[in-house]
């Protein structure tokens, strides 16, 4: 893939899903029926994204909302911006069939909607996409982590947690404080004592 | 060995129970200790200024993430990274010393070759960084550091479940049918054929294990042998050292199907009770799936709800200790349990203690009450095929169990 199509700038129009063609625009998603359904997600800055229902169901938060019947109109997600939602929607599409979340979906869904649906191991292409997905600056990574936290989507969580852990790995104490912009609430004496007690971690 | 508190886990539990959980455990200086406790449930923050929660200051941009997610990120780090995070802020200290993180590191890096040192964190440090941990031991790793005003439901709940014990009201019901000295015919006609549980008393008297199997003799008998313990294999003496001192939510359970092959003497110390000798599985010879296990575990260890595979029935003989059993007939799925559509997988989202806390009372109202009992040393529980069962050790226990295919 090119790195350009996952960038925030690509999100200014609807993400087109080929399977959505011919569908009546106001048709609500129906659980349990065959065929592909789409729902519309709406970012805090009013951008709308058409998403394959199957992809949206990767998110536990969206799944709960859909199962509660909230998928009829555009579903507002006020704490996600358009660029972030565009990236997330693209990841959902790439992760379609990924066993990291598909197993869970098959266990919990009751209507048999996905009963013929076979999870597939992530391909090298998907793994490449994942790496590219989190090759972003610090603030963008935090945005994605927050989105993962809110959406509770296992694949998205995996990718963003890995990236956050990679970022922190081997950082010094000062670098961690700087990176997360956090307050050091130790007294100098406490910090000195802790560093001494954790000497083994500073070698 | 706890980092930010001088109190032992048990003391901290008692101190908290004085205020939040169970008045039976109150002790005189409870109030003071509650105030000193590092982690408090989020609800307590309502009494104070929410901005006083040190969780948030010390997490920076991570503050908006759930506790679970912060821990997910930390679980991907190594021991040295976690050690350094403890010096970053008080909040990261609390997160980075969360015991399950260190349990993961120990099991992954040391496999079964560790000597438990009071906590998973100390165990890891002692094994991986032996020199520095010696030089910094003594008054405890965190002496002088006081952490207060950390509010988190997840960490509080996690810590609470690790220290909770079985309540007496969960043990009161004992409605299983008990029999002593019945004939094989009666066992078949009254229990095996109608597929009903029974507790059999007094049929282990002839087992040498009943006399011989105390801890020391077992350690001698099993010298050098390694037994399956969760994801690792451990020597018996190392396992006992762990199970004696640990206080955690899902203690590692020694559950080994090859004990008789590993230590043939163990096989000589028990015999299959007469009721269970006709076993259609045995025609498979060497090909039969695992069918017998030695089970050793501390109080609080056990198995949450499941059905034994391959339509087998089982017997479970307690040699030392005692076990609480809760069983539901095949047609009644226990509350809080979600089997997959084909029945192959069982998702029981909670630990055993959590099940008792959240679901036990619910099934009291059900028409089909569960069969319950406490099975003591010298007694056998018969689990008919297809029955759901949950078992929890009430004290340090040793048992033998065998699955078989009945007529």
């Amino acid at each position: 893939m090119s790195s350009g199509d996952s960038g925030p700038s690509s999100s200014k129009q609807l993400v087109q899903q080929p399977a959505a063609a011919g569908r009546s625009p106001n048709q609500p998603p129906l659980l349990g029926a065959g065929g592909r359904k789409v729902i519309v997600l709406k970012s805090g800055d009013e951008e709308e994204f058409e998403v394959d229902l199957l992809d949206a169901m990767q998110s536990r938060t969206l799944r709960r909302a859909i199962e509660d019947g909230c998928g009829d109109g555009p579903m507002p997600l006020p704490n996600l911006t358009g660029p972030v939602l565009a990236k997330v929607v693209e990841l959902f599409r790439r992760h379609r069939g990924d066993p990291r979340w598909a197993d869970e979906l098959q266990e919990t869904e009751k209507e048999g909607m996905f009963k013929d649906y076979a999870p597939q191991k992530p391909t090298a292409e998907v793994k490449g996409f994942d790496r590219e997905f989190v090759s972003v600056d610090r603030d963008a990574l935090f945005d994605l982590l927050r989105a993962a936290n809110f959406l509770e989507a296992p694949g998205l969580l995996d990718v963003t947690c890995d990236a956050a852990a990679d970022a922190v790995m081997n950082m010094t104490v000062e670098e961690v404080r700087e990176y997360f912009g956090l307050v050091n609430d130790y007294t100098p004496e406490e910090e000195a004592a802790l560093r001494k007690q954790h000497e083994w971690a500073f070698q | 060995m706890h980092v930010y508190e001088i109190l032992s886990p048990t003391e901290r539990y008692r101190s908290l129970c004085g205020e939040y959980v169970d008045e039976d455990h109150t002790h005189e200086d409870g109030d003071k200790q509650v105030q000193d406790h590092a982690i408090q449930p989020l609800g307590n923050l309502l009494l104070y200024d929410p901005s006083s929660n040190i969780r948030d200051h010390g997490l920076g941009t991570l503050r908006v993430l759930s506790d679970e997610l912060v821990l997910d990120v930390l679980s991907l780090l190594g021991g040295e990274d976690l050690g350094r995070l403890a010096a970053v802020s008080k909040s990261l200290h609390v997160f980075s010393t969360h015991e399950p993180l260190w349990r993961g590191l120990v099991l992954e890096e040391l496999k079964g070759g560790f000597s438990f040192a009071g906590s998973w964190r100390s165990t890891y440090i002692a094994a991986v960084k032996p020199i520095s941990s010696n030089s910094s031991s003594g008054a405890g790793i965190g002496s002088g550091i006081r952490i207060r005003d950390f509010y988190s439901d997840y960490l509080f709940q996690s810590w609470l479940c690790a220290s909770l014990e079985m309540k007496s009201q969960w043990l009161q019901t004992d409605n299983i049918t008990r029999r002593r000295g019945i004939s094989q015919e009666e066992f078949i006609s009254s229990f095996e054929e109608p597929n009903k549980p029974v507790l059999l008393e007094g049929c282990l008297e002839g087992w040498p294990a009943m006399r011989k199997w105390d801890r020391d003799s077992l350690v001698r008998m099993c010298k050098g042998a390694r037994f399956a313990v969760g994801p690792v294999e451990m020597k018996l003496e190392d396992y006992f050292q762990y199970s004696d001192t640990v206080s955690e939510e899902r203690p590692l359970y020694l559950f080994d199907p090859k004990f008789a092959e590993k230590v043939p003497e163990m096989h000589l110390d028990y015999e299959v009770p007469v009721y269970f000798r006709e076993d259609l599985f045995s025609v498979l010879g060497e090909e039969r799936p695992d069918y017998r296990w030695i089970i050793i575990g501390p109080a609080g260890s056990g198995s949450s709800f499941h059905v034994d595979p391959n339509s087998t029935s089982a017997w479970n003989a307690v040699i030392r200790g005692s076990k609480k059993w809760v069983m539901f007939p095949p047609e009644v799925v226990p509350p809080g349990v979600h089997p997959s559509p084909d029945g192959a997988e069982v998702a029981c989202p909670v630990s055993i203690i959590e099940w008792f806390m959240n679901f036990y009372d619910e099934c009291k109202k059900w028409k089909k009450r569960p069969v319950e009992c406490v099975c003591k040393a010298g007694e056998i529980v018969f689990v008919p095929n297809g029955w759901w069962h949950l078992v929890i050790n009430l004290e340090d226990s040793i048992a033998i169990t065998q699955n078989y295919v009945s007529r």
Side-chain angles (χ1 to χ4, degrees), chain A residues 142 146 149 157 161-162 165 169-171 173 176-177 180-186 190 194 197-198 200-202, chain B residues 57-58 60-62 64-66 69 76-77 79-81 83-84 86-90 93 121 125 132 141 145:
Chain A
F142 289 157
R146 274 192 288 270
N149 185 56
L157 281 165
C161 284
D162 272 346
M169 219 170 271
N170 300 320
M171 271 189 183
V173 167
V176 174
R177 285 176 188 149
F180 293 117
L182 56 77
V183 178
N184 169 20
D185 47 6
Y186 288 123
E190 283 175 333
L194 273 170
Q197 284 145 7
H198 292 76
W200 49 271
F202 290 91
Chain B
H57 306 296
T61 42
L62 293 178
V64 294
L65 305 185
S66 66
L69 192 50
L76 300 167
L77 298 173
E80 293 190 3
D81 289 316
R84 280 195 305 279
V88 169
S89 68
K90 290 181 179 176
H93 195 302
R121 186 162 171 276
I125 296 169
S132 33
I141 338 183
I145 309 278

Side-chain angles (χ1 to χ4, degrees), chain B residues 163-178:
Chain B
S163 358
L164 273 182
E165 286 161 20
M166 290 288 285
K167 293 185 184 175
S168 57
Q169 68 259 33
W170 298 335
L171 304 177
Q172 276 162 5
T173 305
D174 196 306
N175 56 1
I176 199 170
T177 309
R178 290 170 177 263

Side-chain angles (χ1 to χ4, degrees), chain A residues 118-140:
Chain A
Q120 286 154 359
K121 274 215 156 83
T123 58
E125 197 193 333
V126 171
K127 287 179 185 161
F129 170 82
D130 287 351
R131 270 193 302 277
E132 198 72 38
F133 183 80
V134 286
S135 302
V136 294
D137 66 23
R138 179 187 71 176
D139 292 343

Side-chain angles (χ1 to χ4, degrees), chain B residues 61-241:
Chain B
T61 42
L62 293 178
R63 75 166 66 92
V64 294
L65 305 185
S66 66
D67 293 340
E68 291 93 320
L69 192 50
V70 173
L71 291 170
D72 279 350
V73 172
L74 298 194
S75 73
L76 300 167
L77 298 173
E80 293 190 3
D81 289 316
L82 293 181
R84 280 195 305 279
L85 288 184
V88 169
S89 68
K90 290 181 179 176
S91 183
L92 276 173
H93 195 302
V94 173
F95 280 102
S96 67
T97 53
H98 188 54
E99 273 285 280
L101 295 172
W102 296 88
R103 168 168 155 154
L105 284 175
V106 169
L107 296 180
E108 193 181 306
E109 292 182 25
L110 307 174
K111 311 289 184 220
F114 61 86
S115 173
F116 196 71
S119 73
W120 287 108
R121 186 162 171 276
S122 306
T123 303
Y124 182 86
I125 296 169
V128 177
K129 307 284 172 193
I131 301 159
S132 33
S133 71
N134 283 343
S135 65
S136 67
S137 65
I141 338 183
S143 52
I145 309 278
R146 267 278 190 258
I147 292 182
R148 290 187 185 190
D149 299 326
F150 187 101
Y151 299 88
S152 154
D153 283 342
Y154 179 82
L155 291 176
F156 180 78
Q157 181 82 4
S158 161
W159 168 82
L160 188 64
C161 282
S163 358
L164 273 182
E165 286 161 20
M166 290 288 285
K167 293 185 184 175
S168 57
Q169 68 259 33
W170 298 335
L171 304 177
Q172 276 162 5
T173 305
D174 196 306
N175 56 1
I176 199 170
T177 309
R178 290 170 177 263
R179 288 289 182 270
R180 178 180 285 268
I182 57 171
S183 67
Q184 220 176 325
E185 291 71 31
E186 189 185 345
F187 174 75
I188 293 167
S189 64
S190 301
F191 304 104
E192 187 170 323
E193 270 176 4
N195 213 42
K196 282 191 177 142
V198 62
L199 186 147
L200 299 163
E201 298 172 343
C203 51
L204 304 184
E205 271 114 23
W207 285 19
M210 290 302 296
R211 284 179 286 111
K212 283 170 61 183
W213 286 17
D214 58 42
R215 192 176 284 207
D216 291 343
S217 70
L218 276 180
V219 166
R220 275 197 304 276
M221 197 193 298
C222 301
K223 210 165 178 39
R226 287 175 178 274
F227 295 96
V229 175
V232 299
E233 296 212 319
M234 291 177 77
K235 286 194 277 192
L236 210 46
E237 57 266 42
D238 289 341
Y239 180 73
F240 282 137
Q241 180 167 354

